[in-house]
Amino acid sequence: RMYDYVVSELPSLLAAEFGDKLDTSTASVMGHSMGGHGAMVVGLNNAANYKSISAFAPIANPTSPDCPWGQKALAGYLGDDKEAWKKYDACELIKAHAGPK
């Protein structure tokens, strides 16, 4: 639910509250640790919405076979389809990212 909140609900709430006082063309997303990874996932999956994406000490590559806690967490949230997990792994998203449009 946090993904939808950050991507959809929060921007709508801010626009409704601040209207033309808020310049969404300069929106950025950032986070620390697990939130840093989340910021990278949100930013890379919605690159057109953010001018910058920042992460301080993010977790890395939770889809890796060398990351048992990531495998467990992703399976718990998304099921056993490991291809579906890639949409929520910043390392996989960076590999597939074609750059600014």
Side-chain angles (χ1 to χ4, degrees), residues 8-22:
S8 301
E9 293 177 41
L10 183 58
S12 295
L13 290 169
L14 291 170
E17 182 68 27
F18 297 104
D20 62 354
K21 295 177 188 172
L22 183 66

Side-chain angles (χ1 to χ4, degrees), residues 39-98:
M40 290 171 43
V41 168
V42 163
L44 290 165
N45 278 321
N46 303 278
N49 296 348
Y50 301 102
K51 187 162 185 127
S52 71
I53 306 164
S54 302
F56 179 71
I59 64 163
N61 209 13
T63 61
S64 168
D66 297 326
C67 185
W69 65 265
Q71 302 268 317
K72 181 179 178 182
L74 290 166
Y77 286 115
L78 303 172
D80 294 326
D81 181 359
K82 293 184 179 183
E83 281 301 308
W85 297 0
K86 290 181 180 182
K87 185 177 177 188
Y88 299 95
D89 182 335
C91 291
E92 295 296 325
L93 292 170
I94 290 168
K95 285 181 199 175
H97 190 62

